[in-house]
Amino acid sequence: MCTGPGPGLPAPSYAAGAPAPYARLDAVRRFTLVVLASAGAVDDADLRDFLTHGYTEQNALEVVLGIGAYTLSTLANRLTGAPVDEQLASFAG
């Protein structure tokens, strides 16, 4: 799965930690970072902040699901030595 911009396209500034261009999108960015930093032990204030931007508890679980799917895919690819697609090689770290 390609999670970055397509070849020849710049990464959005919020990918480097800058705020996303819309408050609601930035709420997802911040919540995702909190979930990662806390290993899922998100405090009530951070969850409330996410919910006040129009998201639901189901959306919070979807963020966790997205993190889990990405993590599982990354670990499986590394374990099996899956080759990086040629068109994505310049993004590989």
Side-chain angles (χ1 to χ4, degrees):
M1 165 189 345
C2 176
T3 58
L9 297 175
S13 60
Y14 57 87
Y22 306 102
R24 193 160 190 263
L25 179 59
D26 197 55
V28 174
R29 182 190 67 83
R30 289 192 321 271
F31 184 72
T32 301
L33 293 174
V34 167
V35 171
L36 288 167
S38 68
V42 175
D43 64 39
D44 291 341
D46 288 318
L47 180 58
R48 270 194 311 274
D49 180 58
F50 181 69
L51 298 176
T52 60
H53 284 86
Y55 294 105
T56 65
E57 290 182 358
Q58 179 176 335
N59 297 139
L61 290 173
E62 291 167 350
V63 168
V64 172
L65 176 63
I67 292 168
Y70 178 80
T71 301
L72 179 63
S73 171
T74 299
L75 295 176
N77 286 332
R78 289 178 181 169
L79 178 68
T80 62
V84 176
D85 292 339
E86 184 178 323
Q87 65 268 30
L88 300 177
S90 64
F91 296 103

